[in-house]
Amino acid sequence: MKTNYLFYLVILFFGCTFGCQKIDKIDNNNREVTRLTDDWEFQYNDTLPQKWSNVTVPHDWAISMPFDKKIDMQEVLVLEDGERIPKLRTGRTGALPHIGKGFYKKTLHFSNQDKDKKVFIQFDGAMSHAKVYLNKEFVGTWPYGYSSFEFDLTSYIQYNQDNLLEVHLENKPLSSRWYPGAGIYRNVRIVKTNPVYVTNWGTYITTPEITETKGKVNIKTTVKNDSQEPKNIEIIQSIFYKDERVSSTSKTLKVTHTEKNIEMDLEVSSPKLWSMETPHLYQVITQIAIENEIVDTYKSQFGFRTIEFTNNKGFFLNGKSVKFKGVCLHHDLGPLGAAHNTSAWRHRLLKMKEMGANAIRSTHNPSDPSLVQLADELGFLFIAEAFDEWEEAKTENGYNKLWNDWAEKDLVALIHRDRNHPSLIMWSIGNEIREQNKKDGYKNAQFLTDIVHREDPTRPSTAGFNNYRAAIDNGLADAVDLPGWNYKPNKYKATHKAHPEWKMYGSETASTVSSRGEYFFPAKEGKHKIRPSLHSNSFDMDFPNWAQTPDREFKAQENNDFIMGEFVWTGYDYLGEPTPYNEEWPTKSSYFGIIDLAGIPKDRFYLYKSHWSNEKVLHVLPHWNWEEGQKVSVHAYTNYDKAELFINGKSLGIRTKNQSNLYDSYRLRWDDITYHAGEVKVVALNENGDAIAEDIKYTAGTPHQLKIEVDRSEVKANGEEVVYATVSVVDKNGVLCPRASNLVTFDLDGEANILGVGNGDPTSLESFVAHKRKAFNGKCVTILQSSKNEGTITLTAKSKGLTSAEVTISTKNSI
Ligand code: GAL
């Protein structure tokens, strides 16, 4: 019982005892954290004879295996897609062999010196139904594959000898709506501490008051004493900005065997606010001292910022109005599968930033912890989402099977892990949960909202509702603090009128579908358009029944100031859910992304950029290789108001933005144009009619050579960082061959290895783990990972009959 803690709490001392240290002088030796990356052995399914292979963790066992139409075929009635009868969906979960059992083992050595320590194992996530054993003894289980969890290994350890760690996983069929990944796909750590220690995610830091001159900081710390006797401890909290200590305090108390929650208040003068432009972060170092010796050091991070959600004026960060220009992101990394890679995520988020996005919704499950950390560092607002399903099943073996025993534990784990992050603004307790259709559906929502309020009263609960009428009628929308609407731009006004007190945003918007570089004429709205090529139009006007074009959502956002913004489905393509080709094979990855599965921007990237970023954008589409005399459409994605189209120097007219017509509001269009080979040029004009910018596409000749572009020329030599290298097939003048599908092979020399390859084609069944890839519409990508040695990486791209390309990247210990 919580009240008993107070009985033991004897405050003997309050004040700063430790002199003004630099952060790098902080003694960390008392808490040892080791990531378990190498020398794991893995076996897929328990077949005999056993076949173990050596793997590194994070590991996704399915990503290197062949696609197969039969894997996890789902005969399902997808209510959310407006279906009335069950249909057989192939590729819904990616068509990779993620179903089945995965066995991992690894030898751990503990010395006699470890005898007086506590030893924990931490998983950032393991897919799924993890069971952990040490020396054949069962340690613990955590079924939800997206949750982070920790087990205490101490009592299972044999000292001064090898210990066998085993992790058994199992993915059931019909348990997901997208590719969930398979295996120990996130980081694992061993943490050794003193028997008196700060528990995992043991600090909760809030900033109850922020003014220009001072920031109040409240830190609640959970300390545990697993030694044999009660201890008098001193707990010291120090706040650092960069490496300077800016505040500190300490408290002395007695800790017994029960967990103790210790609350301390600090003040920072002239706090630097965390914002999207200047994401200032502060570090808290929590130290426990016994008899003047530091026995544990625990690090946390926080930021000063205020958030305010209003019913009529939108959202405010630090008192300034901000509209969410958000993207939804699933957890896989395309060619890398679900195997987590922080460097690849940094690359992805930087692309989102370049586009002008300022917010991320981690759909529909807890992300890797590094994602919200990156959001802190790069300045994104972040919605952490817990579930896609509650008690009511969407898939037979989905979360509904875990709901009763695990919902509270999973939500608490997410909140405790992420609640210090300044980027995090709301907790989403669910996405399109089927309880929307149930009379008493609000009860489960209230249960989860109560947990949010108990564990983090500083942030609201939210959920994404698609079945908007039912969710309002059965009280669900009222059981969250902020209702989010999936695909309801046409209902914003009426909902606001009926519920003026609600604070609302578009939790999922657009769901426009497109395949990079695939154009179909004339460019016009295509509702649930199925084409024999199994591709969707890159003019960004194709969308499934329930969805819209970006333009329609832009308009609704502009016309409704009270709406706090939008979260586009999705920033990147992901594995699984190949809507609108759910029943067609071979399709196995989404068409929803603004950026394709390999990481190459589609045209849509420039449409969002022109609307969201402060930069000037002028992007002409399509490519310029058509049949002579054919009728085509030409669009310009631009934030210039006016532009003139020229084909081979001949003007085809000026177009001006026209807010009274949806598709003339955010793009400039020339339809029914006769194609002539040569060049298409769009020239932006100012009010006086002067040319101020231009974009040109040329007709390409036959493929002649390859070109490589890398996202960086220097990379850290740490065995982790990745480089995205995009290879283009170009003609002898360097013009992209927009339909080229040449097979490209990658030769690598030096300090890197190839992690994955891709080309963004949702219908391709080529392996992601290879040294070759066909170009899709002229382009493909290879993702390289640096080694731990300083030196150079030379990547050569070759293709039969074409001139090769080469690029050199340097690997450095510090950059
Ligand atoms: C929504 C759902 C997403 C995805 C999307 C496709 O209904 O929340 O997970 O399925 O549709 O448009």
Side-chain angles (χ1 to χ4, degrees):
M1 263 170 57
K2 268 199 183 132
T3 40
N4 285 347
Y5 299 169
L6 295 172
F7 176 78
Y8 295 106
L9 197 106
V10 187
I11 301 170
L12 300 172
F13 181 82
F14 186 86
C16 169
T17 51
F18 287 75
C20 282
Q21 303 142 295
K22 286 263 189 196
I23 202 166
D24 53 6
K25 301 266 161 53
I26 292 277
D27 176 11
N28 270 330
N29 294 337
N30 36 64
R31 176 178 277 253
E32 227 180 276
V33 181
T34 315
R35 219 155 22 106
L36 302 182
T37 51
D38 300 330
D39 300 323
W40 286 85
E41 285 186 87
F42 166 72
Q43 186 184 232
Y44 181 41
N45 283 334
D46 38 6
T47 47
L48 284 171
Q50 293 190 341
K51 230 179 103 208
W52 293 91
S53 46
N54 195 281
V55 299
T56 53
V57 161
H59 176 240
D60 179 340
W61 82 61
I63 196 68
S64 57
M65 298 202 209
F67 293 98
D68 188 334
K69 179 181 178 180
K70 292 199 195 72
I71 294 171
D72 207 23
M73 282 205 294
Q74 301 191 2
E75 173 114 35
V76 276
L77 172 63
V78 183
L79 292 175
E80 293 72 21
D81 290 6
E83 289 176 351
R84 303 247 153 79
I85 47 160
K87 289 190 182 151
L88 188 66
R89 293 189 170 211
T90 49
R92 191 185 197 199
T93 53
L96 287 166
H98 68 278
I99 309 288
K101 293 184 180 171
F103 299 90
Y104 290 82
K105 58 183 183 181
K106 180 172 171 61
T107 305
L108 300 174
H109 192 84
F110 297 98
S111 69
N112 279 336
Q113 272 105 59
D114 292 326
K115 273 190 175 157
D116 51 5
K117 293 182 184 149
K118 292 288 300 177
V119 179
F120 301 95
I121 188 160
Q122 295 179 345
F123 291 80
D124 287 345
M127 190 60 72
S128 63
H129 294 85
K131 293 197 176 87
V132 177
Y133 302 83
L134 194 68
N135 301 322
K136 299 286 175 195
E137 283 192 70
F138 176 68
V139 174
T141 181
W142 204 290
Y144 193 32
Y146 298 104
S147 279
S148 298
F149 56 94
E150 178 192 82
F151 296 130
D152 184 347
L153 292 183
T154 319
S155 62
Y156 304 92
I157 291 173
Q158 290 163 8
Y159 295 95
N160 224 14
Q161 53 179 288
D162 284 347
N163 289 247
L164 178 67
L165 171 69
E166 289 170 284
V167 182
H168 297 177
L169 303 172
E170 182 174 5
N171 285 335
K172 308 219 163 108
L174 307 176
S175 61
S176 185
R177 298 194 298 116
W178 56 84
Y179 178 67
I184 308 181
Y185 72 112
R186 291 183 183 164
N187 283 308
V188 182
R189 281 173 293 275
I190 290 287
V191 179
K192 296 180 188 171
T193 69
N194 187 275
V196 182
Y197 58 98
V198 177
T199 61
N200 187 29
W201 313 321
T203 57
Y204 176 33
I205 306 165
T206 54
T207 52
E209 198 188 313
I210 304 171
T211 67
E212 240 174 68
T213 51
K214 70 168 188 253
K216 288 195 175 167
V217 183
N218 178 273
I219 308 176
K220 297 188 179 71
T221 309
T222 310
V223 174
K224 222 173 159 208
N225 175 4
D226 283 338
S227 73
Q228 297 308 310
E229 70 262 12
K231 297 271 187 208
N232 289 316
I233 65 159
E234 183 178 12
I235 175 163
I236 307 129
Q237 306 282 14
S238 309
I239 300 179
F240 288 81
Y241 176 70
K242 304 223 155 114
D243 64 352
E244 290 298 331
R245 185 147 84 160
V246 292
S247 183
S248 67
T249 188
S250 77
K251 215 177 213 185
T252 322
L253 56 129
K254 187 187 251 179
V255 285
T256 61
H257 306 306
T258 355
E259 260 186 23
K260 204 176 270 295
N261 296 310
I262 303 154
E263 189 166 348
M264 295 160 85
D265 291 301
L266 291 90
E267 225 174 81
V268 169
S269 59
S270 309
K272 293 187 195 309
L273 297 187
W274 181 92
S275 72
M276 288 177 298
E277 300 75 30
T278 51
H280 294 294
L281 294 168
Y282 286 76
Q283 244 198 335
V284 170
I285 305 283
T286 306
Q287 291 171 298
I288 297 178
I290 298 177
E291 292 171 2
N292 271 329
E293 190 199 339
I294 305 282
V295 297
D296 191 25
T297 304
Y298 183 88
K299 290 185 186 169
S300 336
Q301 190 185 271
F302 76 102
F304 292 98
R305 54 97 176 111
T306 59
I307 52 176
E308 192 192 347
F309 304 85
T310 74
N311 60 338
N312 53 359
K313 294 200 187 79
F315 170 79
F316 291 80
L317 176 70
N318 301 325
K320 288 194 200 121
S321 155
V322 174
K323 198 103 166 162
F324 306 142
K325 300 167 185 167
V327 289
C328 297
L329 291 171
H330 262 321
H331 76 308
D332 77 69
L333 285 164
L336 309 185
H340 174 73
N341 185 303
T342 305
S343 172
W345 271 111
R346 179 180 285 274
H347 165 92
R348 285 186 149 208
L349 295 196
L350 286 172
K351 288 305 280 182
M352 291 291 116
K353 192 101 191 162
E354 183 188 326
M355 184 173 74
N358 64 14
I360 294 158
R361 172 173 175 243
S362 92
T363 47
H364 299 300
N365 41 257
S367 65
D368 184 89
S370 67
L371 219 71
V372 57
Q373 174 64 27
L374 285 169
D376 277 1
E377 289 170 19
L378 301 176
F380 284 96
L381 303 170
F382 196 87
I383 301 183
E385 190 152 89
F387 307 113
D388 187 55
E389 187 178 303
W390 297 342
E391 202 172 359
E392 292 295 304
K394 280 185 187 171
T395 50
E396 199 176 310
N397 295 316
Y399 198 80
N400 65 88
K401 294 272 190 284
L402 303 176
W403 169 262
N404 281 338
D405 296 334
W406 288 92
E408 178 162 6
K409 291 185 202 129
D410 283 318
L411 183 57
V412 168
L414 173 64
I415 296 175
H416 283 196
R417 192 192 72 181
D418 288 347
R419 63 187 171 179
N420 291 338
H421 290 278
S423 59
L424 210 153
I425 55 167
M426 345 175 184
W427 301 107
S428 174
I429 56 174
N431 173 63
E432 300 192 350
I433 32 21
R434 289 247 170 118
E435 273 79 348
Q436 289 172 112
N437 312 332
K438 272 189 82 187
K439 207 164 155 245
D440 63 352
Y442 69 91
K443 285 189 184 156
N444 286 343
Q446 197 57 57
F447 163 67
L448 296 173
T449 287
D450 289 346
I451 294 171
V452 167
H453 292 170
R454 184 186 77 206
E455 301 299 332
D456 181 20
T458 72
R459 295 178 181 90
S461 73
T462 184
F465 299 114
N466 58 325
N467 196 349
Y468 111 109
R469 200 54 271 160
I472 292 176
D473 290 348
N474 76 359
L476 242 169
D478 254 325
V480 294
D481 299 318
L482 306 179
W485 304 114
N486 289 8
Y487 313 109
K488 298 294 171 291
N490 300 333
K491 308 284 184 202
Y492 292 155
K493 230 179 214 46
T495 314
H496 180 60
K497 202 162 168 223
H499 304 273
E501 72 290 0
W502 280 355
K503 302 157 183 177
M504 308 186 295
Y505 67 104
S507 34
E508 239 172 81
T509 59
S511 260
T512 306
V513 284
S514 65
S515 311
R516 177 181 53 78
E518 296 284 334
Y519 303 95
F520 303 92
F521 305 117
K524 60 170 190 191
E525 279 200 351
K527 191 169 180 174
H528 210 83
K529 184 89 188 155
I530 300 288
R531 298 192 172 82
S533 63
L534 305 187
H535 284 301
S536 293
N537 202 348
S538 206
F539 279 101
D540 302 314
M541 295 170 106
D542 279 2
F543 50 90
N545 292 334
W546 59 91
Q548 294 88 26
T549 55
D551 313 58
R552 198 165 292 282
E553 184 66 37
F554 289 162
K555 199 52 124 196
Q557 292 284 332
E558 274 176 3
N559 287 344
N560 298 292
D561 281 348
F562 55 87
I563 285 285
M564 291 185 280
E566 65 163 317
F567 288 81
V568 178
W569 190 265
T570 48
Y572 274 78
D573 271 330
Y574 52 95
L575 287 161
E577 224 184 6
T579 309
Y581 302 106
N582 291 307
E583 295 113 57
E584 285 80 4
W585 180 258
T587 59
K588 45 63 176 131
S589 52
S590 81
Y591 296 73
F592 294 117
I594 295 171
I595 296 186
D596 77 16
L597 197 69
I600 309 173
K602 301 180 188 173
D603 290 298
R604 220 178 323 148
F605 180 86
Y606 302 95
L607 183 58
Y608 281 100
K609 186 171 180 183
S610 68
H611 192 59
W612 282 357
S613 91
N614 297 325
E615 272 175 50
K616 281 294 178 198
V617 175
L618 178 62
H619 173 82
V620 62
L621 60 155
H623 62 71
W624 211 237
N625 275 64
W626 304 101
E627 294 285 320
E628 196 59 29
Q630 141 176 29
K631 290 286 179 201
V632 298
S633 302
V634 175
H635 286 194
Y637 291 168
T638 182
N639 39 23
Y640 289 104
D641 263 351
K642 194 156 70 166
E644 185 166 7
L645 173 71
F646 295 91
I647 291 175
N648 300 332
K650 184 172 168 243
S651 172
L652 282 123
I654 294 175
R655 295 285 184 274
T656 307
K657 292 259 178 81
N658 173 6
Q659 297 304 324
S660 58
N661 181 321
L662 178 64
Y663 291 111
D664 295 328
S665 299
Y666 310 100
R667 43 174 108 195
L668 297 172
R669 300 183 296 159
W670 294 261
D671 282 316
D672 210 19
I673 294 295
T674 307
Y675 169 79
H676 296 294
E679 64 166 54
V680 59
K681 178 162 79 173
V682 170
V683 179
L685 306 170
N686 65 13
E687 311 86 71
N688 305 326
D690 306 324
I692 41 178
E694 65 176 37
D695 191 29
I696 309 182
K697 288 229 158 75
Y698 298 96
T699 304
T702 51
H704 179 79
Q705 56 195 325
L706 299 177
K707 190 174 108 188
I708 308 180
E709 286 157 289
V710 285
D711 68 333
R712 47 175 144 175
S713 53
E714 280 185 351
V715 64
K716 231 184 190 163
N718 61 1
E720 307 216 331
E721 296 219 344
V722 296
V723 178
Y724 277 72
T726 307
V727 174
S728 306
V729 179
V730 298
D731 71 3
K732 64 178 185 336
N733 299 317
V735 176
L736 177 75
C737 299
R739 300 295 288 166
S741 56
N742 305 57
L743 179 67
V744 178
T745 53
F746 305 104
D747 285 354
L748 196 62
D749 198 27
E751 300 305 332
N753 65 304
I754 290 183
L755 263 196
V757 295
N759 63 13
D761 179 357
T763 69
S764 166
L765 298 182
E766 292 166 277
S767 178
F768 293 121
V769 183
H771 284 211
K772 58 179 185 197
R773 187 69 169 193
K774 273 180 156 179
F776 171 57
N777 290 332
K779 293 189 180 196
C780 59
V781 165
T782 177
I783 304 162
L784 315 177
Q785 184 166 47
S786 68
S787 78
K788 288 185 179 155
N789 304 322
E790 281 207 322
T792 54
I793 306 166
T794 305
L795 172 70
T796 313
K798 295 181 180 161
S799 185
K800 211 170 153 205
L802 306 184
T803 308
S804 309
E806 191 180 284
V807 71
T808 303
I809 301 143
S810 34
T811 62
K812 298 198 167 153
N813 285 337
S814 60
I815 49 172

